[in-house]
Amino acid sequence: MAIQTELDKAGIEPLNMELGEITLKEAPTSLQLEGLAKELKSLGFEMIDNQKSRLIEQIKTQIIKLVHYTDTASPLKLSTILTDQLNHDYSYLSNLFSAVEGTTIEKYYIAQKIERVKELLIYNELSLSEIAYQLGYSSVAYLSAQFKQVTGMTPSTFKNLQSHGRRNLDDL
């Protein structure tokens, strides 16, 4: 009842109200949301914006698709891809991601790329230069430097460590 009263005061009409969740008929203005959040907080309630959580997940999904499910690097910058796909300004996406995740979009992107490099090194089907090309690195040297910075070892060292723990099927 307290929440219904505050919604009425703010001029927001709910479509459905369940414990912990309200579905609205129309999107409220930012002014309505700010006033409602303030009033609810004074009553001991907190308004959680799930839209932001969904946006974070959409950012992660786009990066994972870009890194793990495409065979060639996009000629577009990551910021352009995310802006186009998610219909938000990149600075907004970047600030939101950093605030919620505690890391930048760029660092998350690099971490995903390094995981993909590890995967491709383990498969042992592509050369390091082919891997660098596929993931959009400007050179093998740049890939190797970034790999070493993130993992503490070179791609060759990583590949050699993996080969000691695995045997070819032909050798069994």
Side-chain angles (χ1 to χ4, degrees), residues 10-28:
I12 300 172
E13 189 174 352
L15 185 63
N16 185 27
M17 289 181 62
E18 294 180 25
L19 185 60
E21 191 171 319
I22 300 170
T23 307
L24 303 176
K25 285 185 176 181
E26 296 176 353

Side-chain angles (χ1 to χ4, degrees), residues 10 16 33 74 119 127 134 143:
N16 185 27
L33 282 177
S74 172
E119 183 181 338
S127 69
Q134 184 174 328
L143 164 63

